[in-house]
Amino acid sequence: MTQAPPMPEATRRRHDREIVALAVPAFGALVAEPLFVMADSAIVGHLGTAQLAGLGVASALLTTAVSVFVFLAYATTAAVARRVGAGDLRAALRQGMDGIWLALFLGAAVIALVLPLAPGIVDAFGASATAAPYATTYLRVSALGIPAMLAVLAATGVLRGLQNTRTPLYVAVAGFITNAALNALLVYGAGLGIAGSAWGTVLTQCAMAAVYLGVVVRGARRHQASLRPDLAGIRASAQAGAPLLVRTLSLRTILMIATAMAARLGDADIAAHQIVLSLWNLLAFALDAIAIAGQAIIGRYLGANDALGAREACRRMVQWGVATGVVLGLLVVAARPLFLPLFTSDSLVKDTALPALLVVALAQPLCGIVFVLDGVLMGAGDGPYLARAMVVTLAVFAPVALLVPTLGGGLTALWAAMTLMMAVRLLTLWLRARSGRWIVTGATR
């Protein structure tokens, strides 16, 4: 970004209050999401190894679906926030309803695909003969909750765009508690086994969607926004989300390549990689919370035709990203002796993971900037550039990662390649932020 004069103290404090108010609840909601899978695993695990293995396959597929369709939240946040900044809450809520309708239509399409194809999908993911029937059962039942799950994503985007991250936190926490209780009741109380776990999750997702829809519909009625599906609006939501889908798929491909290369390095390396990756994902939640705040704040400033406010907010959030990254990196270094024994007692796996963790720790300040700028550009509705930048990143990362098993260096070299990937992302995002081309003001981009 271009050189700018020092930010006044009052301005800095205002931005800090906005960032904290949005990022802290967003972080809580993000952390609550993986707890759903953990609760399911804890309950199903007592049914037997085959059932737990089946759950593992099915939950991996569902988690992938969530990550692929997360554009429903991101694109909706940016579009709604712009209209909030422009002072047109009616249009903001109308835009939000378009995103929700798109989510419901996509969810129905996914059900139509998953129900007949579930056995083949499970087999393609390498489930064993004993685990496959359980994975198929869980996947088929859980598929019925996908429209609700996608509606939750879109509605979360609506509320974030309305500068409300507290309601998603409350719903996520209540959903986790409800999910755990229903799973225990249906799996053991009703004797439904793994199907009971899936039904518990479906019912919870439907309840969460109902709460979100209740909040959004009340707001729409209060501001006289139409609740009916509008094909032009739904098409616009899909067009805004398509580039973010490309971005997400490119990122998922990067993570899949990394895991595949770790598997080629040997059992100790893939085990250590899973440990390091789990920590990397946890750290990403903290940084993603700032990015979510960035989506909402930047969209609002641009919608209000306040280019200077958007630039200042971007600068301050980058500072937050760097500071958070430094803190997280130091925590990783300090917590290594405590963290690794939680996952393994194998000394070889620990020795393999240790230097890779140091690489992850050193990369956190860089990751902090990447996450923040990613959120800023999403909030600006700059999806096409994000898609192109991530494709470029994939093109750089893939050949480097594929050479790791041949050139040596083990897991540490692989995570160095992951850090290179983040460095490429930083370069592409920084160049865009510095150019100012992302600053397009108005209620729509």
Side-chain angles (χ1 to χ4, degrees):
M1 287 171 288
T2 56
Q3 187 66 32
M7 191 181 302
E9 181 66 22
T11 301
R12 185 165 56 249
R13 289 181 178 178
R14 185 181 75 250
H15 288 313
D16 288 346
R17 287 194 297 270
E18 287 182 336
I19 293 167
V20 170
L22 291 171
V24 172
F27 174 71
L30 288 170
V31 170
E33 290 174 7
L35 295 179
F36 275 68
V37 177
M38 290 178 61
D40 288 359
S41 299
I43 293 170
V44 171
H46 292 286
L47 293 174
T49 301
Q51 288 91 332
L52 184 59
L55 173 65
V57 172
S59 63
L61 289 165
L62 293 168
T63 301
T64 299
V66 171
S67 67
V68 167
F69 289 109
V70 75
F71 72 85
L72 290 165
Y74 292 161
T76 305
T77 297
V80 171
R82 273 185 175 269
R83 286 162 175 78
V84 169
D88 192 347
L89 287 178
R90 179 180 180 180
L93 288 159
R94 174 65 263 181
Q95 181 73 45
M97 287 305 305
D98 290 337
I100 291 172
W101 278 113
L102 174 62
L104 293 173
F105 289 149
L106 288 174
V110 172
I111 288 180
L113 288 173
V114 171
L115 289 182
L117 298 178
I121 296 173
V122 168
D123 288 340
F125 271 70
S128 68
T130 54
Y134 297 111
T136 301
T137 296
Y138 191 93
L139 185 59
R140 276 180 164 159
V141 175
S142 295
L144 300 177
I146 286 178
M149 178 182 71
L150 300 188
V152 165
L153 286 176
T156 299
V158 177
L159 295 182
R160 288 173 180 170
L162 294 171
Q163 317 296 297
N164 176 3
T165 56
R166 290 183 178 273
T167 298
L169 171 61
Y170 300 149
V171 175
V173 172
F176 167 70
I177 296 171
T178 303
N179 181 65
L182 282 174
N183 270 259
L185 178 64
L186 295 175
V187 171
Y188 297 111
L192 297 179
I194 194 170
S197 176
W199 278 115
T201 301
V202 168
L203 293 173
T204 301
Q205 288 169 340
C206 290
M208 292 173 66
V211 173
Y212 274 118
L213 289 174
V215 173
V216 175
V217 167
R218 281 199 302 273
R221 286 177 173 169
R222 185 163 59 249
H223 294 281
Q224 298 180 330
S226 174
L227 301 177
R228 295 179 179 179
D230 175 66
L231 292 182
I234 294 170
R235 185 166 54 250
S237 294
Q239 290 172 344
L244 297 180
L245 176 60
V246 173
R247 167 201 168 274
T248 301
L249 291 174
S250 298
L251 180 57
R252 294 297 301 181
T253 302
I254 287 170
L255 297 178
M256 289 173 62
I257 290 173
T259 299
M261 292 305 101
R264 291 189 182 184
L265 296 173
D267 290 346
D269 291 270
I270 185 61
H273 176 73
Q274 289 303 114
I275 295 172
V276 177
L277 185 61
S278 67
L279 177 63
W280 194 74
N281 287 330
L282 179 62
L283 298 173
F285 285 137
L287 299 175
D288 204 27
I290 305 175
I292 287 170
Q295 294 170 29
I297 292 171
I298 294 298
R300 192 188 76 232
Y301 275 117
L302 294 178
N305 295 310
D306 188 352
L308 176 61
R311 284 185 180 276
E312 290 179 339
C314 178
R315 285 173 54 200
R316 190 55 179 164
M317 280 183 284
V318 167
Q319 294 169 0
W320 268 81
V322 172
T324 305
V326 170
V327 171
L328 293 175
L330 292 174
L331 286 175
V332 171
V333 173
R336 284 176 303 148
L338 300 174
F339 179 76
L340 288 174
L342 293 175
F343 290 87
T344 182
S345 58
D346 189 320
S347 59
L348 179 58
V349 174
K350 291 180 183 178
D351 292 342
T352 303
L354 195 59
L357 283 176
L358 289 176
V359 173
V360 169
L362 291 172
Q364 287 311 295
L366 181 153
C367 293
I369 303 174
V370 169
F371 274 79
V372 166
L373 292 181
D374 200 46
V376 166
L377 296 185
M378 282 187 191
D382 207 8
Y385 181 84
L386 289 173
R388 293 193 299 270
M390 190 59 78
V391 171
V392 169
T393 302
L394 172 60
V396 174
F397 170 78
V400 175
L402 292 172
L403 286 173
V404 168
T406 303
L407 298 181
L411 189 67
T412 303
L414 180 60
W415 275 93
M418 289 286 286
T419 302
L420 171 65
M421 177 270 293
M422 294 301 290
V424 175
R425 290 187 70 190
L426 174 60
L427 177 62
T428 58
L429 296 174
W430 183 263
L431 288 174
R432 187 64 166 182
R434 192 171 185 270
S435 73
R437 292 177 183 174
W438 57 278
I439 300 177
V440 179
T441 58
T444 59
R445 184 179 173 88

